[in-house]
Amino acid sequence: MSYPTDPADREGHGRWCIIQRPAAGTLWLADEGERIGFEATPDSDPAPVLTLLQTAVDAGRTAAEAWDMVVGMVGVTVHVGDLGHWREDRGSRRQRVQ
């Protein structure tokens, strides 16, 4: 298993959240649970999040389990919709994870 996924492969339906720690950026997961990625803001070092994801890989966790681990640590609002355009589904309700 290898992840995070290259940002060029961010497509389809899935979930994403904007996080501020341990690095600022957008963490996303495709619906099939096989693709996860992190896109840091221009002035942010992505290393802390990438290290967390690599730790999950080393522990044998799936991409979906890695997502749950990071989202559970930072407590964020989760968006659901089209990953390629960051467009939320109509009528979707944002879920707050604490």
Side-chain angles (χ1 to χ4, degrees):
M1 173 174 315
S2 68
Y3 54 81
T5 304
D6 187 279
D9 294 327
R10 177 178 47 86
E11 60 184 21
H13 198 267
R15 301 176 274 177
W16 68 90
C17 59
I18 298 168
I19 61 174
Q20 298 300 318
R21 58 184 169 89
T26 305
L27 180 70
W28 58 270
L29 176 72
D31 274 352
E32 83 277 349
E34 299 292 324
R35 294 177 292 134
I36 187 173
F38 178 70
E39 297 178 38
T41 58
D43 296 334
S44 180
D45 177 12
V49 173
L50 298 178
T51 299
L52 283 173
L53 296 178
Q54 185 59 49
T55 300
V57 168
D58 294 345
R61 297 184 190 272
T62 66
E65 290 169 335
W67 161 274
D68 291 340
M69 177 184 75
V70 175
V71 169
M73 289 173 41
V74 298
V76 294
T77 301
V78 175
H79 306 268
V80 177
D82 178 21
L83 292 172
H85 301 286
W86 302 126
R87 187 173 313 148
E88 287 187 279
D89 290 341
R90 286 184 180 206
S92 71
R93 293 185 176 189
R94 295 178 183 165
Q95 176 187 4
R96 176 83 180 153
V97 177
Q98 302 211 22

